[in-house]
Amino acid sequence: MLFAPLLMESELTFNVDHGYLEGLVRGMKAGILTSTDYHNLAQCDTLEDMKLHLQSTDYGKLLSSSEEDLTVSLVDSKLRANLVTEFSCLRSNALPPLSTFLDYITYSYMIDNVVMLITGALKQRDVAELLPRCHPLGAFDQMAAVGIARTPTELYSAILVDTPLAPFFQDAVSESNLDEMEAEILRNKLYKAYIESFHSFCKNIGGVTADIMCPVLEFEADRRTFIITVNSFGTELSGADKSALYPSCGKLYPEGLRLLAKAEDHEQVKAVANCYPEYKLIFDDPEPGADFKTLEDRFFEQEVKLNMLAFLQQFHFGVFYSYVKLKEQESRNIVWIAECVTQRQKSKIHNYIPIFPGTH
Amino acid sequence: MSSLLRGEEMCLAQLFLQSGSAYDCISELGELGLVEFRDLNPSVTAFQRKHVNEIKKCEEMERILGYLLREVKKADISLPERDVNPVAPLPKHVMAIMEQLQRLEVELGEVTRNKEKLQRNLLELTEYTHMLRITRKFVQRTAEREPLQVQYEEFPFLEKETMMDYSSMQRLGAKLGFISGLIQRVKIEAFERMLWRVCKGYTILSYAEVEEYLENPDTGEPTKCVVFLISYWGDQIGQKVKKICDCYHCHVYPYPSSNEERNDVVEGLRTRIQDLHTVLNRTEDYLRQVLIKASESVYTWVIQVKKMKAIYYILNLCSFDVTNKCLIAEVWCPVNDIPTLRRALEEGSRKSGATVPSFVNRIPTSDTPPTLIKTNKFTSGFQNIVDAYGVGSYREVNPAPFTIITFPFLFAVMFGDLGHGVIMAVFAAWMVLCENNRKLKNTRNEIWNTFFEGRYIILMMGLFSIYTGLIYNDCFSKSLNIFGSGWSVKAMGWTKEQWENNRFLTLDPNVTGVFKGPYPLGIDPIWNLASNRLTFLNSYKMKMSVILGIIHMSFGVILSTYNYLHFRKKYNLYLVFLPELLFLLCLFGYLVFMILYKWLAFSAKDSRHAPSILIHFINMFLMQGDGLQPLYPGQTGLQIFLVVIAVLSVPVLLLGKPVYLYWLHNGSHRLGLYRGYERVRRNSEEELYLMRAHDMEEGSSHSDLSSSGENPTEEFDFADELLHQAIHTIEYCLGCVSNTASYLRLWALSLAHAQLSEVLWAMVMRVGLRMDSTLGVLFLVPVFGLFAVLTVSILLVMEGLSAFLHALRLHWVEFQNKFYGGTGVKFCPFAFSLLPSSFEHDGLL
């Protein structure tokens, strides 16, 4: 009995509350498209062909039940609706603390929705036009009223105070008028607070969940740090401003964050990344001749790798997070392939990010 | 019978279908379900095949049908699921069906949309009336207060401050606005809070609940709503309030400024609602008519479309020959059914009016054909038991025909009880008699289906249980004294004292008159009273189990000769079968002999001197036992002889086959060519070659299709063969011991069953029977109920399942591993009858 002492109490009783859902999510994970599926999809000439192929996968008749002609955006929204159905099935069967964990997953979509609504309102768009574009995982009652707010304080005190996002507003409250820049800063501040909160939540759960989730969230935090830094080149954001946006739960904390706040061009960022073996790879110059991949894609690749690890262990919540993220990546892949198919860009069709490349 | 024993003889055939009549021919074949098609374009992906457009069209029709079915179900119209079996529609008729379906879809869509619009309208109007009715109360309340306020204007109270403020504002002419509408009850609190926060109190919200449930237009669920009225000052706040109302999906309606206007609106609304009701009713009637008309033919359409889709799938498997203008299909077909196949093709060609007939051509092949064993409703259950272990290899001996008898028999040995057997047989007989009842056949209950599918097995198990119950003389753990016991107590001549002083008395068969000879059928009922009944039955049942087991296993070994002979491996007969049988019979066959000998040779008189078989059997291996009295003269010599034979057969079994094969391949090439399979294959290769030459003359291009299954010449690996044989030898020799022991489960389960039913009788039924008073009769009713429930649930269902499981194991492991390979592939014919027949199954609903 080698493993007996390793089984903690939380693992022993895990299945009582969460066993069913873990089984469910592992079953759904088995339906994630394999490299053969991608290979077949990449050979399609029209969206109709793709529909035919997806019929033989777990998506089944998802696409064929619509009456209108297939478009890429329809595919996208169908895939998204599928994910939301699966997620809400998990959420409605979840018991605490898993239910809180699942709620945490939705908060990031809520933040994105809030920021999108604010920018939309700034551009004088109609709320009714914006609402369908919000991610349904991050939907909440007060969503439509977001456009009323003029300052972050007002946003917080009038509209979001009842939502679960309220605790993340502690650092974000300011009296400056909301413009696009401010909205972006608000997004990053909220995200920082959110990721830090999620990180500490996972840490408190402890056990395998912490082992799995902390690296994933740390990676997420560091990715945001890098992206913020790269995007801030050429703006008037000062180093202090930037460091206020960096989530402090990542591996870069504290030394890397300090260096990144000072960085002013790509080379300096790369120099910082070189100190961390896991990020060195991402910032490495692509070899000439190899497929060029954007920084974003490289981060996505790394994220997929991390999320796949979650399925190697049992009795933890990481699988839920990873499943949602992998499924999102899968939707991105399908949409990418669909775009390539409709725009006849066959040469770029293989730039999707394979999930579970080893399985056939 | 031969087909049940070995399975059908199959052949590979090529169908040359004229492209004009291919559809009809395949439709014809689908109705018959004779052949299994092989995929001739495995390298072509699904969407590059020829008939992909037709399949898409079928899917489109399926989608419309699904929509129709859902609408029909929503309207609560029963679907006529009749026993019609329409043939697949001709391609030219498909367009008509398609058009009809599309027209229906458009019509339905329009009507439903209209209906929904009307319903929404109606809901809005109802909401508006509710709102007006309820807001009137708010206003009345203020109106009631108004005179009060005027009255006491000289003495303003502190608590009336707000009211004063309100009216003075009104008087001041500040812009006072009203927004009123309905909101879902769950949202009202959050709504109020947000209003307060955003407008900082410059609004007054009053609300009241609507008593009735209003239907939510999006989900169709009845929900409770709240009517609210917001009064606010100023335009800016009004904008915000409107936005918040939007955000909470409030249904906002214009608020009438005066009482007269309100009355007018209410009046107008009432007439409009009435109008709407009539229109709505008419629309619903019309919708219903359309749906009823559609529901009459929807079943036929579903079947037709399904058949059509299946035909196109099959056509996609065929390869297209451009030069010959015909489709080529390769099928597996039972040899006996080839005439039927020809006739079906003729029929198909005739139907489509093709000038050139389609025809069948048998082609030789070295591929292993799939296994087909034709069954009827009686044998299919037993065949399923065998197939669950493994589908037999092609033309292998099929254990199913023997299983029909041995399976229920071994089950009954464990389940031997007359009463339980009768209940089981009656239940199964009821299922058999009602097997054509649609309600029983088409139920969705999986557990019930399992029982129903196995009704003939259960019937046989019940009948055999009755038989073994008679032999054990057990009926609900009581014995039946039908023929009169062979024992007499009177002859013992016991005195009254002896009766009273002893709890147990021994009947001595040696006293004359006490034992008058054996009971005619089974166990003597007097044993039911005996205290040593269990000892007696245990010894009897244990020996019986061993005897049955050895016979069962020997039978399995003997069946293996059929395989060796059929597959022309005669050497296996001498090198495998013979040592196996000798090993089994010399050791365990001799044990059976000793048991029978002991039963026959010792009677009641000399039973005290009866030796223990166990000791004798052990001594046989140790070659000792000089101190023991022999069972019969010459025992020691015979035993030594048998052991030597058994031991010698092991090396023969281990080395015989590999060495012989080695010699065949290396020592004598010439000899090898004449033997067994090789000869067969050689023949077929020659034929193949001839045929290819023939094709080449004709210039046809399909010759490469039939050569797909060319075999590489077999490599002989001595080490491999030796290893396999070593494993087999070890498994067999150890298996003989462990399998014999395994058959003791017959005894154990039978004992457990008998004891359980006895416990049930003693603990439940006897308690009820012991009550002497008249109350006892009443008491007996619930006791019997409990007894009956426990008998059925524990003794019949649970014990039955466990006995079933053990019988299954004895067949799969102990019996079938002596001869059955079970590595075949099942024949899956292309048959319309195998398509899912009910609506729920095909995912349309």
Side-chain angles (χ1 to χ4, degrees):
Chain A
M1 293 297 267
L2 186 66
F3 52 86
L6 296 175
L7 276 177
M8 301 287 168
E9 196 247 349
S10 63
E11 274 95 39
L12 278 176
T13 56
F14 183 89
N15 276 351
V16 177
D17 288 341
H18 316 300
Y20 166 61
L21 287 183
E22 196 191 350
L24 213 58
V25 89
R26 279 179 191 275
M28 297 197 290
K29 171 231 156 194
I32 285 181
L33 298 187
T34 60
S35 48
T36 344
D37 292 321
Y38 282 120
H39 181 75
N40 284 336
L41 282 177
Q43 286 186 337
C44 294
D45 292 326
T46 60
L47 285 183
E48 287 292 315
D49 291 347
M50 285 185 72
K51 180 174 101 179
L52 211 66
H53 258 307
L54 287 178
Q55 252 177 38
S56 60
T57 65
D58 270 20
Y59 285 111
K61 301 214 163 175
L62 181 72
L63 292 178
S64 52
S65 55
S66 69
E67 289 162 46
E68 316 118 78
D69 284 334
L70 267 184
T71 57
V72 178
S73 63
L74 186 70
V75 172
D76 189 23
S77 59
K78 286 265 179 189
L79 292 176
R80 189 178 285 179
N82 188 46
L83 175 62
V84 171
T85 321
E86 286 176 347
F87 185 83
S88 47
C89 164
L90 293 176
R91 175 62 187 86
S92 47
N93 284 304
L95 291 168
L98 178 58
S99 50
T100 323
F101 182 88
L102 291 178
D103 283 340
Y104 261 109
I105 295 179
T106 63
Y107 295 162
S108 69
Y109 299 97
M110 278 164 86
I111 294 173
D112 285 343
N113 284 348
V114 166
V115 174
M116 196 193 79
L117 287 167
I118 290 173
T119 39
L122 289 174
K123 287 177 185 157
Q124 308 297 328
R125 293 278 183 78
D126 195 19
V127 183
E129 177 195 341
L130 291 171
L131 280 183
R133 284 163 55 188
C134 290
H135 199 293
L137 269 187
F140 56 101
D141 271 347
Q142 294 89 339
M143 219 157 60
V146 165
I148 302 171
R150 294 275 159 258
T151 63
T153 319
E154 203 183 350
L155 183 70
Y156 167 68
S157 61
I159 293 144
L160 297 179
V161 70
D162 286 337
T163 64
L165 290 185
F168 307 142
F169 263 89
Q170 273 175 347
D171 295 331
V173 179
S174 76
E175 283 301 331
S176 54
N177 263 348
L178 275 173
D179 52 27
E180 266 183 64
M181 184 73 177
E182 196 64 34
E184 207 50 46
I185 289 177
L186 178 70
R187 180 212 297 274
N188 286 318
K189 276 184 179 164
L190 286 178
Y191 220 95
K192 168 182 155 74
Y194 155 69
I195 263 200
E196 283 166 7
S197 160
F198 198 2
H199 188 265
S200 68
F201 172 74
C202 290
K203 222 171 196 166
N204 281 340
I205 291 179
V208 192
T209 304
D211 292 349
I212 296 289
M213 280 308 290
C214 287
V216 173
L217 291 174
E218 280 157 16
F219 170 78
E220 181 69 24
D222 291 341
R223 169 165 75 173
R224 292 201 72 83
T225 309
F226 279 120
I227 300 282
I228 291 168
T229 315
V230 172
N231 286 346
S232 71
F233 296 152
T235 60
E236 64 259 36
L237 270 185
S238 69
D241 287 342
K242 275 192 269 177
S243 55
L245 302 180
Y246 294 157
S248 63
C249 55
K251 290 202 175 69
L252 293 172
Y253 179 79
E255 195 52 32
L257 295 187
R258 199 176 55 77
L259 290 172
L260 276 178
K262 284 191 230 148
E264 261 150 27
D265 56 38
H266 196 82
E267 283 308 309
Q268 282 174 336
V269 175
K270 215 174 127 182
V272 177
N274 276 344
C275 308
Y276 299 86
E278 53 271 66
Y279 304 122
K280 185 170 183 287
L281 276 172
I282 293 172
F283 279 88
D284 262 348
D285 282 321
E287 294 151 39
D291 311 342
F292 175 74
K293 282 180 184 148
T294 58
L295 190 61
E296 207 182 4
D297 278 352
R298 284 152 169 260
F299 272 119
F300 276 141
E301 238 170 41
Q302 186 68 21
E303 187 191 5
V304 166
K305 261 183 217 158
L306 276 176
N307 280 326
M308 284 193 304
L309 293 181
F311 288 95
L312 298 182
Q313 288 196 55
Q314 224 190 330
F315 309 130
H316 65 101
F317 297 156
V319 281
F320 297 95
Y321 180 86
S322 297
Y323 178 72
V324 172
K325 292 292 163 190
L326 289 179
K327 205 74 185 165
E328 244 192 351
Q329 185 58 48
E330 184 177 289
S331 305
R332 274 197 293 266
N333 289 343
I334 294 175
V335 168
W336 171 262
I337 292 175
E339 284 284 3
C340 287
V341 164
T342 45
Q343 295 175 12
R344 311 234 164 268
Q345 297 270 344
K346 279 271 175 179
S347 55
K348 288 187 184 165
I349 209 164
H350 292 286
N351 284 3
Y352 59 84
I353 293 155
I355 306 168
F356 297 111
T359 51
H360 286 282
Chain B
M1 184 58 204
S2 77
S3 123
L4 189 58
L5 182 65
R6 286 215 178 277
E8 292 289 325
E9 196 182 338
M10 308 293 283
C11 64
L12 189 65
Q14 262 183 333
L15 307 182
F16 292 86
L17 306 166
Q18 304 309 316
S19 46
S21 62
Y23 183 90
D24 294 271
C25 289
I26 299 213
S27 160
E28 212 48 51
L29 291 178
E31 298 289 347
L32 288 172
L34 282 180
V35 293
E36 177 181 339
F37 283 84
R38 300 216 304 181
D39 192 356
L40 294 184
N41 338 302
S43 56
V44 188
T45 50
F47 60 91
Q48 284 164 340
R49 300 210 172 191
K50 194 158 175 307
H51 295 282
V52 77
N53 283 328
E54 282 89 345
I55 290 179
K56 271 185 199 161
K57 216 182 274 170
C58 291
E59 268 164 11
E60 171 71 9
M61 284 200 266
E62 274 185 346
R63 187 189 60 72
I64 299 178
L65 282 171
Y67 169 70
L68 269 181
L69 283 173
R70 272 193 301 275
E71 289 296 320
V72 167
K73 203 159 204 192
K74 224 197 274 173
D76 227 12
I77 299 167
S78 65
L79 280 170
E81 209 165 320
R82 272 165 291 148
D83 274 328
V84 286
N85 192 9
V87 292
L90 293 177
K92 55 189 170 196
H93 295 160
V94 172
M95 281 318 287
I97 297 180
M98 183 89 179
E99 262 169 35
Q100 229 171 336
L101 279 175
Q102 274 167 343
R103 216 177 39 239
L104 254 175
E105 188 196 13
V106 171
E107 198 175 348
L108 260 184
E110 223 162 80
V111 179
T112 349
R113 258 196 307 281
N114 273 343
K115 192 184 137 194
E116 260 163 31
K117 216 190 275 168
L118 287 173
Q119 269 172 339
R120 210 171 275 258
N121 249 336
L122 183 66
L123 180 80
E124 271 172 18
L125 294 181
T126 349
E127 280 184 354
Y128 198 9
T129 32
H130 279 303
M131 186 216 97
L132 287 176
R133 187 170 49 79
I134 289 168
T135 46
R136 184 199 299 259
K137 281 183 210 153
F138 300 154
V139 180
Q140 270 170 357
R141 233 180 289 152
T142 23
E144 272 163 21
R145 279 184 207 165
E146 210 109 36
L148 271 176
Q149 200 188 357
V150 176
Q151 211 175 341
Y152 293 102
E153 205 162 8
E154 306 98 284
F155 316 102
F157 287 100
L158 209 63
E159 61 263 36
K160 280 194 183 149
E161 200 84 82
T162 48
M163 208 42 100
M164 293 264 296
D165 212 14
Y166 166 79
S167 50
S168 58
M169 288 287 272
Q170 206 169 19
R171 264 180 242 143
L172 279 169
K175 220 168 171 200
L176 183 62
F178 293 102
I179 287 180
S180 59
L182 277 92
I183 185 170
Q184 283 176 12
R185 192 173 63 180
V186 280
K187 288 184 180 168
I188 183 76
E189 271 183 36
F191 178 63
E192 191 177 6
R193 233 174 325 178
M194 187 180 277
L195 261 183
W196 170 257
R197 281 203 200 103
V198 173
C199 308
K200 310 209 167 65
Y202 288 103
T203 51
I204 295 171
L205 173 74
S206 32
Y207 56 87
E209 202 171 293
V210 182
E211 299 85 37
E212 294 141 62
Y213 283 93
L214 295 173
E215 204 168 85
N216 188 341
D218 295 327
T219 57
E221 282 170 14
T223 41
K224 271 264 179 183
C225 283
V226 169
V227 167
F228 64 88
L229 174 67
I230 307 168
S231 339
Y232 60 89
W233 288 269
D235 272 339
Q236 274 221 325
I237 293 205
Q239 291 297 324
K240 282 189 183 173
V241 170
K242 265 181 205 139
K243 267 194 184 164
I244 294 173
C245 287
D246 280 350
C247 157
Y248 281 92
H249 305 286
C250 305
H251 302 162
V252 179
Y253 299 100
Y255 185 73
S257 49
S258 68
N259 248 341
E260 293 82 57
E261 195 187 329
R262 179 193 302 272
N263 289 340
D264 287 350
V265 173
V266 169
E267 203 50 45
L269 280 179
R270 193 172 300 145
T271 45
R272 275 177 66 192
I273 286 177
Q274 273 173 358
D275 290 351
L276 262 181
H277 266 297
T278 36
V279 177
L280 198 59
N281 277 342
R282 259 185 225 152
T283 322
E284 266 169 9
D285 280 348
Y286 179 65
L287 182 68
R288 211 178 158 73
Q289 272 170 10
V290 172
L291 284 177
I292 285 174
K293 209 174 72 195
S295 73
E296 280 163 10
S297 35
V298 81
Y299 182 70
T300 320
W301 284 335
V302 167
I303 299 226
Q304 281 183 323
V305 168
K306 257 193 282 190
K307 284 187 175 178
M308 202 160 65
K309 198 172 160 190
I311 289 172
Y312 283 119
Y313 264 113
I314 292 298
L315 284 176
N316 271 343
L317 299 181
C318 305
S319 75
F320 198 69
D321 192 333
V322 187
T323 49
N324 288 352
K325 298 222 184 233
C326 69
L327 277 172
I328 300 165
E330 269 184 28
V331 295
W332 289 113
C333 176
V335 174
N336 293 337
D337 284 335
I338 281 196
T340 332
L341 178 63
R342 286 218 171 88
R343 234 172 299 133
L345 289 185
E346 275 165 28
E347 182 71 17
S349 310
R350 195 183 54 74
K351 266 187 191 164
S352 61
T355 45
V356 195
S358 303
F359 57 95
V360 188
N361 183 18
R362 263 183 84 164
I363 48 174
T365 177
S366 51
D367 285 3
T368 323
T371 313
L372 168 67
I373 294 160
K374 286 191 175 163
T375 53
N376 53 26
K377 62 186 176 182
F378 179 70
T379 52
S380 72
F382 296 98
Q383 186 65 51
N384 281 342
I385 288 180
V386 172
D387 283 352
Y389 173 78
V391 176
S393 314
Y394 178 61
R395 302 287 284 162
E396 191 181 21
V397 165
N398 177 22
F402 314 107
T403 307
I404 293 174
I405 295 302
T406 53
F407 187 84
F409 177 68
L410 288 189
F411 171 85
V413 168
M414 293 180 269
F415 198 73
D417 190 302
L418 178 63
H420 299 154
V422 167
I423 296 178
M424 190 177 259
V426 166
F427 171 64
W430 169 71
M431 281 198 288
V432 168
L433 287 177
C434 299
E435 66 186 358
N436 289 327
N437 189 333
R438 291 182 64 90
K439 222 169 112 191
L440 291 181
K441 221 193 292 186
N442 294 343
T443 153
R444 299 257 164 286
N445 190 337
E446 262 182 58
I447 295 175
W448 167 256
N449 276 343
T450 315
F451 282 111
F452 190 69
E453 290 298 314
R455 57 191 179 277
Y456 285 101
I457 303 178
I458 299 177
L459 180 66
M460 292 296 280
M461 293 191 314
L463 292 177
F464 273 91
S465 296
I466 295 175
Y467 167 68
T468 47
L470 277 174
I471 298 291
Y472 293 161
N473 212 342
D474 244 351
C475 178
F476 299 113
S477 83
K478 298 282 119 187
S479 292
L480 301 175
N481 192 358
I482 305 171
F483 304 102
S485 173
W487 294 72
S488 164
V489 181
K490 212 190 281 167
M492 284 301 286
W494 282 317
T495 59
K496 200 170 176 248
E497 247 168 58
Q498 272 172 308
W499 280 115
E500 275 163 8
N501 293 340
N502 294 309
R503 279 204 53 169
F504 294 105
L505 288 168
T506 313
L507 285 171
D508 188 355
N510 292 328
V511 177
T512 40
V514 171
F515 184 60
K516 288 175 290 196
Y519 192 68
L521 181 69
I523 308 277
D524 196 303
I526 200 164
W527 282 105
N528 202 33
L529 305 172
S531 69
N532 60 345
R533 174 182 188 232
L534 212 56
T535 329
F536 168 71
L537 281 182
N538 275 351
S539 155
Y540 162 70
K541 283 181 178 171
M542 178 174 68
K543 285 167 183 165
M544 181 192 65
S545 308
V546 171
I547 294 171
L548 290 177
I550 304 283
I551 292 173
H552 201 208
M553 286 194 293
S554 318
F555 181 56
V557 174
I558 289 167
L559 276 183
S560 67
T561 58
Y562 284 83
N563 278 339
Y564 299 145
L565 288 177
H566 182 263
F567 292 120
R568 311 210 182 167
K569 291 183 181 172
K570 224 174 212 164
Y571 57 88
N572 272 346
L573 220 53
Y574 306 112
L575 298 174
V576 178
F577 164 69
L578 211 59
E580 275 183 359
L581 195 68
L582 280 177
F583 184 81
L584 183 65
L585 288 185
C586 287
L587 299 183
F588 298 98
Y590 179 66
L591 178 66
V592 173
F593 163 76
M594 279 203 290
I595 292 171
L596 292 176
Y597 180 82
K598 187 179 162 187
W599 274 346
L600 295 174
F602 293 91
S603 68
K605 285 190 185 66
D606 49 0
S607 67
R608 283 179 197 288
H609 311 295
S612 160
I613 291 176
L614 184 67
I615 302 294
H616 276 272
F617 195 56
I618 291 172
N619 282 338
M620 173 176 163
F621 290 102
L622 300 178
M623 310 238 179
Q624 289 176 350
D626 304 328
L628 284 173
Q629 196 186 346
L631 280 167
Y632 52 88
Q635 185 193 8
T636 328
L638 181 67
Q639 282 182 350
I640 290 175
F641 174 69
L642 288 177
V643 170
V644 167
I645 295 249
V647 169
L648 281 182
S649 61
V650 175
V652 176
L653 184 60
L654 175 65
L655 298 171
K657 190 175 156 193
V659 169
Y660 176 73
L661 285 178
Y662 182 74
W663 175 74
L664 257 189
H665 278 264
N666 289 3
S668 159
H669 272 290
R670 208 164 47 81
L671 203 62
L673 296 181
Y674 292 119
R675 296 235 159 226
Y677 250 172
E678 309 231 358
R679 194 159 101 195
V680 178
R681 189 176 308 122
R682 209 159 172 76
N683 279 347
S684 64
E685 254 169 6
E686 265 161 33
E687 266 176 63
L688 208 68
Y689 178 74
L690 277 177
M691 162 128 164
R692 221 175 286 157
H694 182 68
D695 281 341
M696 235 118 70
E697 277 166 37
E698 284 188 347
S700 71
S701 60
H702 64 261
S703 59
D704 51 344
L705 295 172
S706 51
S707 66
S708 55
E710 226 175 330
N711 270 25
T713 45
E714 230 170 84
E715 288 280 322
F716 178 75
D717 188 352
F718 179 70
D720 215 33
E721 193 63 38
L722 189 66
L723 196 69
H724 277 293
Q725 194 58 28
I727 291 172
H728 178 77
T729 309
I730 294 169
E731 200 191 326
Y732 180 82
C733 295
L734 292 183
C736 276
V737 182
S738 65
N739 291 352
T740 309
S742 186
Y743 274 97
L744 290 178
R745 74 185 66 232
L746 292 175
W747 159 46
L749 275 254
S750 152
L751 174 75
H753 186 80
Q755 287 301 299
L756 257 180
S757 63
E758 194 170 326
V759 164
L760 194 65
W761 183 274
M763 305 287 256
V764 180
M765 206 54 193
R766 201 193 288 167
V767 174
L769 290 171
R770 279 227 176 126
M771 296 268 280
D772 293 337
S773 58
T774 24
L775 266 179
V777 180
L778 292 177
F779 184 60
L780 209 53
V781 174
V783 165
F784 177 75
L786 187 64
F787 175 74
V789 166
L790 288 179
T791 299
V792 170
S793 63
I794 294 182
L795 290 178
L796 275 157
V797 177
M798 265 174 57
E799 276 280 290
L801 277 178
S802 112
F804 182 91
L805 223 67
H806 284 280
L808 208 58
R809 186 222 139 95
L810 286 180
H811 278 83
W812 281 352
V813 180
E814 272 77 30
F815 177 54
Q816 289 183 9
N817 79 356
K818 300 286 183 289
F819 66 98
Y820 189 59
T823 52
V825 184
K826 203 166 184 159
F827 175 73
C828 312
F830 167 64
F832 290 142
S833 56
L834 294 180
L835 294 173
S837 61
S838 63
F839 291 123
E840 280 80 5
H841 273 261
D842 43 18
L844 287 178
L845 277 180

